[in-house]
Amino acid sequence: MASISLQPDSGMAEAAREALRQACAELDRAEATGGAALTAQALCGVARAYGALRAWSTAEAYLEMALRWSGAAQATDGIVEVLCELCDTGVELAEQQDCSAPGSGRSTRERVRDHAFSASALAGRVSDADWEVKVLLRVSDALNRLGDHDDAAALQSRALERMAGSPRADVALLPSIGRLADG
């Protein structure tokens, strides 16, 4: 069940409140039908609505639920999409945390790196080769924003190889992206 806690004086724009209400209503409908893929999509919708309100930690929590539902649906494309959303949201959350207290976003940055690795490992299994390139570039961008420039460059190179038409690599044989320490 989705719940909304909105204070009348919260300062949120009416359009943002309405988008959140609609996303929560969609989640309620998806939960009533019991479909894992629809529930995952609805959870992503709620997460996006919270992201639009810059409530990044709440958005991340909904995306984590969406990831579990996508896994239950066994849909690689859905899992990869949620992982990409988690990367984008995590970067925003880490920046927000670091603005509040420098260094407090470290664990969030580690989660983003984990999600980026997972998404890049699954990218070769998505249904569309063009989307594979977009996934690689999207997670590369997230890593770049975190300062992991070497890992980001490795993913960009992989995306460029795919754009040049090289065949999909067996992702099990690809070296994993590194785990650079925060410095």
Side-chain angles (χ1 to χ4, degrees), residues 36-152:
L38 288 176
T39 301
Q41 288 175 352
L43 286 163
C44 284
V46 173
R48 284 185 207 104
Y50 276 113
L53 298 168
R54 303 196 51 76
W56 299 115
S57 62
T58 304
E60 183 184 48
Y62 275 94
L63 287 169
E64 290 290 349
M65 287 186 276
L67 184 60
R68 288 190 294 278
W69 280 98
S70 292
Q74 298 180 341
T76 302
D77 287 4
I79 293 168
V80 170
E81 178 60 30
V82 175
L83 287 167
C84 288
E85 297 252 357
L86 277 162
C87 288
D88 296 339
T89 299
V91 169
E92 295 292 342
L93 177 58
E95 289 173 354
Q96 186 180 62
Q97 290 168 332
D98 285 337
C99 283
S100 297
S104 64
R106 184 180 180 118
S107 64
T108 302
R109 289 190 304 275
E110 287 301 320
R111 286 193 306 275
V112 171
R113 288 181 189 100
D114 291 342
H115 296 313
F117 171 75
S118 296
S120 68
L122 290 172
R125 297 185 185 133
V126 297
S127 60
D128 182 307
D130 290 336
W131 193 47
E132 177 187 2
V133 170
K134 290 176 185 172
V135 166
L136 293 171
L137 293 175
R138 188 171 174 186
V139 296
S140 169
D141 182 58
L143 291 172
N144 202 39
R145 288 180 63 193
L146 293 177
D148 291 345
H149 305 298
D150 291 340
D151 292 338

Side-chain angles (χ1 to χ4, degrees), residues 6 12-21 49 52-53:
L6 298 176
M12 288 187 280
E14 184 57 35
R17 285 194 299 250
E18 184 56 31
L20 181 57
R21 281 189 200 100
L53 298 168

